[in-house]
Amino acid sequence: MTRAPAPAAHRWPRLPGIGYGADYNPDQWPREVWDEDIALMREAGVNVVSLAIFSWARIQPTEDSWDFGWLDEIMDLLHAGGITVDLATATASPPPWLTAKHPEILPVTRTGETLSPGARQHWRPTSPVFREHALRLVDAMAKRYADHPALVAWHISNELGCHNLYDYSDDAARAFRAWLRGRYQSLDALNHAWGTAFWSQRYSDWEQILPPRLAASHPNPTQQLDFKRFSSDALKDYLRAERELLRGITPDIPITTNFMVMGETKGMNYADWAAEVDFVSNDHYILPSPQAQDELSFSANLTGNIAGGRPWFLMEHSTSAVNWQPVNRAKGAGELARDALLHVAHGADAVCYFQWRQSAAGAEKYHSGMVPHAGRDSEVFRSVTTLGQRLKDLAPLAGADRAPARAAILFDWESWWASEQDSHPTELLRYRAEALDWYSAFLALGVRADVVPTGTALAGYDLVVAPVLHVVPAPLAKELTDYVAGGGHLVTTYFSGIVDENDHAHLGGYPGPLRDLLGIRIEEFAPLLPGESVALDDGTTGTLWSDRIEITDEASVEVLASYRSGELAGRPALTRRTPATGNGSAAYVSTRLGHEQLPGVLARLLEAAGIEGELPAPARGKVELTVRAHQGHAYWFLINRTEEPVDLTGIDGELLTGETAPLPARGVAVLRRDLP
Ligand code: GLA
Ligand code: GLA
């Protein structure tokens, strides 16, 4: 299990109030556009831009020539315009001269194909040749701009792992072996962990070990899990290499890299990466679905908790449509401001977009920007300018931490990775979807919940939901047991407590080390076929999964619902154990109820934990509440989740932005309240 390390000492770039801006790519435009850019940035209230992210080929046109003139000029122009710079190290996309000379930096797929240059991020995370050239560029950038007054932060690379996370090249194989030697020390330990007695996989020499390349059947599952761990670590190691170089030259400039806590982007263990940066940054794009807004909230919430509750930087989102979905929906009225402020509600102290000016050429020309193709005279630019003003009104809250909720959802990267591997009881299980469904249930009930990575201290929470907590090593089992013994209310679900850190099944009945805590024992899983469902006697319907549950401690376990149909009819489906000592409880949900049915179950569990919403009852579920706090004040963010106005008169506090009587459809209001 990877523990969430304590976030690094938080160092924030020197920005006036809340940061506002975008990726800025002036090298895509003729010089005469730059003056208009600066004028429009000032009009919009922009105070920070991320510069030179994809400029390697422009800065270093050949191996031995450098062209900083244009970058010097735009840095100076931005500074003169009062705009600060989050300067990229420019290493994200290697130039053609580099890949032509060194094709051995190109990533290799699982099936053995070498990726061609021509798009971006075509480099192996473990390539020593790539690293040497990239660090030469970082060194040149850092030395040139170390003392530039516009420089407020370093932006390492870009979305590390977006396209090059899994590389199966010989470089990767070498680095994987070195990583495995570090983890296991001996081949015996590796053979045990990987269970190589199975299918004649026993290794007698480290050199025999490969990444899990396309094989004749299912590759070894622990090898696959370790390759996921290794691949995340390889990029983290690269991040450190750039960082150490930068710290040596500009020790006072804080360093970040943009994470992608969003949707099914799961390969980078950001809970583990957070300690590597001076401040956490995230990129988020709306993924169309009935839970789209909940997903944004979930991602922002998790980002805020990965950042240890301290402020974080929204490095990218979109003013309107993106270009990379099958159909790219334009945002509707009010969505630009709502989406941006929802991130601020969860702790973002900077709101930036991809990108400043919508490209005229290239693969992203249909991706929205702050200045669209239509130019200044557009609804998007007017909305951008209005948002700039609203962010100025929120300047007093810059620096405020997230105020912890009473409930939490435990989010575990290892369980995400391991639970979705191949040759499992079902390939339909989606870890993050189950977690998001629980989060939607909290939102529907109007109860705040923090989404926290494993390793976060749980004791402060009255109720913790740990959905699909698949990987449970002994220390985590103890932590959960102690949590309940200390009065905490734990809720967990199907396919939890199944394996240890080596992906070996816990024996003696599921859910292994959580059996006693839950007072149940499961002999066999009963996953449901696509389209199949099972009725429960509380009126709900389960899909995806069911379990043959035996109650092992009749005295302390209450059956909250039983199966009413199928093979398991009459047997328990939802259980809760209330141990004789202490005030805690441990509940188990054996099927997938989905975001529409979970509120009913969750309401019962919250009631037992004595938790209810903080807003007046009629507003609960319609309005998302988040709270940030500092300097004697609490900031209440009220976000309308509905398409109707919601009356919020009677909630006291000084209105910093928006309206509450009523809160308009898609509206966001922020109230400043005195802390008791
Ligand atoms: C990512 C990248 C950006 C851009 C956007 C488009 O976030 O970092 O360079 O490609 O996607 O949505
Ligand atoms: C085949 C193989 C066995 C085993 C089973 C699993 O029969 O011969 O080794 O893999 O499939 O169903």
Side-chain angles (χ1 to χ4, degrees):
M1 182 186 54
T2 308
R3 287 268 151 187
H10 178 76
R11 293 204 298 153
W12 189 251
R14 95 192 122 66
L15 294 173
I18 306 277
Y20 189 44
D23 284 11
Y24 180 36
N25 297 302
D27 39 335
Q28 289 180 16
W29 297 93
R31 171 65 186 80
E32 53 273 21
V33 175
W34 298 3
D35 297 313
E36 190 197 37
D37 282 337
I38 309 277
L40 292 181
M41 284 179 193
R42 291 174 63 88
E43 184 178 340
V46 165
N47 56 27
V48 61
V49 293
S50 296
L51 194 61
I53 293 174
F54 295 106
S55 302
W56 190 343
R58 177 78 187 264
I59 293 168
Q60 192 182 5
T62 65
E63 184 164 4
D64 297 311
S65 61
W66 299 87
D67 176 8
F68 284 110
W70 68 278
L71 193 51
D72 295 348
E73 186 179 4
I74 192 70
M75 289 283 287
D76 292 348
L77 282 175
L78 288 162
H79 181 62
I83 297 155
T84 66
V85 175
D86 164 50
L87 186 59
T89 55
T91 54
S93 195
W97 61 258
L98 180 53
T99 47
K101 184 172 176 196
H102 292 293
E104 72 274 21
I105 73 168
L106 296 168
V108 176
T109 66
R110 184 175 158 266
T111 53
E113 291 153 305
T114 300
L115 297 179
S116 292
R120 64 173 173 187
Q121 211 173 61
H122 36 270
W123 52 275
R124 300 177 184 175
T126 56
S127 163
V129 176
F130 175 78
R131 190 176 287 204
E132 182 195 325
H133 283 86
L135 293 185
R136 192 169 163 229
L137 173 62
V138 176
D139 184 68
M141 292 287 283
K143 285 181 177 148
R144 183 143 195 121
Y145 298 106
D147 298 319
H148 198 286
L151 177 68
V152 296
W154 285 115
H155 181 295
I156 289 180
S157 194
N158 188 65
E159 291 191 343
L160 287 164
C162 183
H163 313 295
N164 64 349
L165 169 66
Y166 294 124
D167 165 45
Y168 297 80
S169 66
D170 291 342
D171 280 334
R174 270 186 292 277
F176 186 37
R177 284 178 208 124
W179 183 92
L180 291 166
R181 277 177 189 263
R183 183 175 175 92
Y184 295 111
Q185 313 293 326
S186 74
L187 267 184
D188 279 351
L190 178 137
N191 277 311
H192 167 74
W194 285 19
T196 56
F198 181 83
W199 281 357
S200 188
Q201 293 172 351
R202 191 169 194 291
Y203 295 97
S204 58
D205 192 312
W206 291 97
E207 291 304 308
Q208 297 158 357
I209 300 172
L210 295 170
R213 292 173 178 159
L214 180 66
S217 176
H218 304 293
N220 180 299
T222 315
Q223 176 193 15
Q224 292 192 55
L225 182 58
D226 273 347
F227 189 66
K228 291 185 175 100
R229 292 167 171 148
F230 155 76
S231 297
S232 180
D233 282 359
L235 285 163
K236 185 176 74 173
D237 190 63
Y238 176 79
L239 163 65
R240 283 182 179 154
E242 283 207 17
R243 183 197 65 197
E244 289 312 301
L245 187 51
L246 293 168
R247 283 205 177 138
I249 300 168
T250 56
D252 297 330
I253 301 296
I255 287 160
T256 195
T257 191
N258 41 345
F259 295 173
M260 293 173 281
V261 177
M262 62 174 268
E264 292 297 324
T265 304
K266 68 177 177 180
M268 285 67 67
N269 184 340
Y270 293 127
D272 175 51
W273 287 25
E276 306 293 336
V277 293
D278 291 320
F279 61 98
V280 165
S281 299
N282 197 46
D283 295 351
H284 186 273
Y285 292 93
I286 297 287
L287 304 162
S289 99
Q291 287 168 276
Q293 207 189 324
D294 297 357
E295 196 285 322
L296 188 167
S297 175
F298 181 95
S299 295
N301 191 324
L302 177 56
T303 304
N305 286 301
I306 285 170
R310 304 308 320 276
W312 53 279
F313 201 114
L314 177 64
M315 193 61 82
E316 294 179 21
H317 70 315
S318 66
T319 56
S320 191
V322 298
N323 66 301
W324 43 264
Q325 292 170 357
V327 176
N328 296 295
R329 182 183 174 271
K331 289 196 182 184
E335 292 183 32
L336 179 150
R338 179 198 63 195
D339 293 351
L341 293 172
L342 196 37
H343 288 287
V344 180
H346 284 283
D349 263 2
V351 170
C352 290
Y353 289 100
F354 177 84
Q355 60 177 327
W356 165 250
R357 192 182 276 277
Q358 183 173 2
S359 297
E364 295 181 323
K365 61 182 172 296
Y366 297 116
H367 192 297
S368 59
M370 292 175 91
V371 182
H373 285 165
R376 179 178 178 276
D377 182 13
S378 59
E379 192 57 40
V380 165
F381 189 72
R382 281 186 284 279
S383 301
V384 157
T385 304
T386 308
L387 176 60
Q389 190 51 54
R390 294 188 71 182
L391 292 174
K392 282 192 184 127
D393 297 338
L394 294 178
L397 66 78
D401 291 340
R402 295 171 52 85
R406 292 183 60 195
I409 293 175
L410 193 62
F411 194 85
D412 185 52
W413 251 270
E414 297 257 310
S415 291
W416 193 4
W417 290 343
S419 67
E420 295 184 7
Q421 295 214 112
D422 62 45
S423 37
H424 272 197
T426 177
E427 61 179 31
L428 302 177
L429 184 150
R430 289 293 170 272
Y431 174 85
R432 200 181 195 258
E434 182 66 37
L436 177 59
D437 284 347
W438 284 92
Y439 189 70
S440 288
F442 277 106
L443 288 172
L445 295 172
V447 172
R448 276 196 301 135
D450 293 336
V451 185
V452 299
T454 330
T456 305
L458 301 181
Y461 292 107
D462 294 317
L463 180 137
V464 172
V465 182
V468 194
L469 189 63
H470 186 63
V471 182
V472 180
L476 180 56
K478 179 172 187 315
E479 185 185 343
L480 297 175
T481 306
D482 290 349
Y483 170 69
V484 172
H489 296 274
L490 176 72
V491 182
T492 189
T493 74
Y494 60 91
F495 218 34
S496 295
I498 305 302
V499 296
D500 67 10
E501 61 274 31
N502 294 325
D503 199 30
H504 294 196
H506 291 295
L507 304 181
Y510 313 120
L514 305 180
R515 272 195 316 259
D516 291 346
L517 180 61
L518 294 162
I520 61 171
R521 181 170 179 271
I522 296 162
E523 285 178 35
E524 195 173 26
F525 307 125
L528 302 172
L529 293 171
E532 195 182 1
S533 64
V534 62
L536 273 60
D537 65 2
D538 64 356
T540 61
T541 304
T543 60
L544 183 77
W545 199 278
S546 59
D547 280 316
R548 175 177 286 271
I549 298 175
E550 209 187 299
I551 308 277
T552 53
D553 186 2
E554 298 283 351
S556 65
V557 177
E558 172 193 4
V559 175
L560 300 178
S562 295
Y563 291 110
R564 207 178 57 196
S565 67
E567 287 289 325
L568 303 175
R571 306 184 71 103
L574 272 58
T575 62
R576 183 175 55 212
R577 175 163 177 262
T578 311
T581 54
N583 302 315
S585 71
Y588 184 76
V589 179
S590 67
T591 187
R592 178 156 197 222
L593 293 173
H595 69 102
E596 285 170 351
Q597 299 184 114
L598 277 177
V601 175
L602 182 60
R604 292 172 71 184
L605 298 168
L606 287 168
E607 199 185 327
I611 299 176
E612 56 173 44
E614 294 150 283
L615 291 177
R620 290 181 203 160
K622 295 181 178 163
V623 174
E624 176 177 352
L625 168 71
T626 74
V627 184
R628 296 181 59 179
H630 76 161
Q631 297 169 352
H633 294 293
Y635 296 89
W636 276 34
F637 283 75
L638 302 158
I639 303 120
N640 192 338
R641 305 176 69 233
T642 74
E643 297 291 316
E644 306 290 332
V646 181
D647 186 23
L648 292 177
T649 37
I651 304 179
D652 46 276
E654 175 198 347
L655 195 62
L656 292 187
T657 185
E659 348 166 13
T660 53
L663 178 68
R666 302 176 180 175
V668 179
V670 182
L671 294 171
R672 174 161 54 189
R673 298 153 56 97
D674 291 331
L675 279 174

